[in-house]
Amino acid sequence: MVSIRRSWIVGVSSLLLLLPLGACGTSEPEQGTAGEATTSTIPLTAGAIPDQDPELLQRLYSKLADYLEAELGVPVEYRPVTDYAAAVTAFRVGDLDLVWFGALTGVQARLQLPGAEAIAQRDIDEQFHSIFIANADSGIAEIQEISDLAQLKGRTFTFGSESSTSGRLMPQAYLEQAGVDVENDFRGEVGFSSNHDAILKLVEAGTYEVGVLNEQVWIDRLAAGEVDTEKVVQIWRTPPYYNYHWVISPEVDERYGEGFSERVQAALLALDPAVPEHKEILDLFGAERFIVTNNENYAEIEAVGRKIGKIQ
């Protein structure tokens, strides 16, 4: 940027002096080339859909931010959001650069920001499942196939967030396949819980007879002894589908240099369970590894989202 200094000389017309470029400071970040560390002081902002307990998410993403900062050579800042829709909006307007989305919110985000790319998912996300749970006192029998979901008619039911893939989108698709009208066939108003932990607690307490949550949360809470199996039981595991993944904004390559997106992807793929510090991060994600993914893997999710009106 060229600075202009106006100097007034008594009795003489004003004289404009142009200073050389190096004579003034600049707030623009230094640009790195592909494969090179950058020295920008502008933080890479990372976020995630708030699908679990906020304290757990803060711990998880703080550790990941520290790892990425060391690997990428730029400041990395985790910014929590209030709900799923807020994560999509923050990504669209540039408040978040790198976001851990569910399949539906990932599709929504990429459609709103052309050039955004899905770059990595956990090993478990290419074969993900939802778990239908029931209060033990409900007497609901275990479901063997999709058509058996019809027995849930007349029961009280809660989904997760309205924009959750595992807690709403795919479960609704299977329910409709079984002939269940989610607006009219359940008793009372269908619930929409804030996160997967909340679904579990509501069904366990008997507030709803049936709920559906993401399989990873169910397995983790069982392993931790946080589920009262005398009060809540699993009744069905859905067929597999693609789910959670990292989505990165195209703006990061403009800010940090060409190829920066690929460096972020490489850093995520480099997390190694044989390295204790890496294993801690992977364990918090419930994964063995991160693997490569791409936008095309979520075509089925987009089609279902359009069918039930979650994508226009």
Side-chain angles (χ1 to χ4, degrees), residues 31-79:
Q31 301 292 310
T33 58
E36 293 182 352
T38 63
T39 58
S40 173
T41 57
I42 300 176
L44 176 75
T45 53
I49 54 172
D51 62 338
Q52 299 181 54
D53 182 89
E55 290 185 8
L56 185 150
L57 294 178
Q58 184 67 46
R59 179 185 173 207
L60 168 59
Y61 291 105
S62 294
K63 288 183 178 296
L64 181 68
D66 290 343
Y67 166 76
L68 290 176
E69 188 167 301
E71 290 292 308
L72 301 172
V74 302
V76 179
E77 177 183 310
Y78 168 61
R79 294 181 183 174

Side-chain angles (χ1 to χ4, degrees), residues 50-53 56-57 84 122 124 128-131 133 164 166 195-201 212-227 243-244 284-286:
D51 62 338
Q52 299 181 54
D53 182 89
L56 185 150
L57 294 178
Y84 285 47
R122 299 169 302 185
I124 62 175
F128 204 83
H129 305 266
S130 298
I131 300 295
I133 58 174
S164 172
S166 55
N195 59 54
H196 298 285
D197 287 300
I199 298 165
L200 178 54
K201 294 303 180 185
V212 59
L213 72 161
N214 116 17
E215 182 178 38
Q216 180 212 2
V217 172
W218 173 249
I219 291 173
D220 287 350
R221 302 304 178 262
L222 281 172
E226 297 174 2
V227 178
N243 199 2
Y244 292 86
L284 287 169
F285 270 99

Side-chain angles (χ1 to χ4, degrees), residues 236-295:
W236 190 52
R237 182 181 190 238
T238 70
Y241 51 87
Y242 279 97
N243 199 2
Y244 292 86
H245 54 288
W246 287 106
V247 178
I248 196 164
S249 168
E251 296 176 4
V252 300
D253 284 341
E254 299 175 12
R255 186 188 311 151
Y256 302 110
E258 183 181 353
F260 187 81
S261 295
E262 286 77 9
R263 291 181 54 218
V264 174
Q265 181 185 53
L268 293 168
L269 300 181
L271 284 164
D272 185 350
V275 179
E277 294 81 3
H278 295 190
K279 186 177 187 305
E280 184 177 8
I281 294 172
L282 290 167
D283 285 349
L284 287 169
F285 270 99
E288 289 291 327
R289 289 275 190 180
F290 280 106
I291 61 175
V292 173
T293 193
N294 56 64
N295 294 359

Side-chain angles (χ1 to χ4, degrees), residues 70-122:
E71 290 292 308
L72 301 172
V74 302
V76 179
E77 177 183 310
Y78 168 61
R79 294 181 183 174
V81 295
T82 55
D83 54 39
Y84 285 47
V88 174
T89 299
F91 184 75
R92 174 176 56 82
V93 301
D95 289 340
L96 291 174
D97 302 312
L98 176 69
V99 184
W100 182 242
F101 282 120
L104 175 59
T105 46
V107 171
Q108 290 171 331
R110 293 193 303 277
L111 289 174
Q112 293 181 30
L113 184 61
E117 293 290 335
I119 58 172
Q121 64 181 181
R122 299 169 302 185

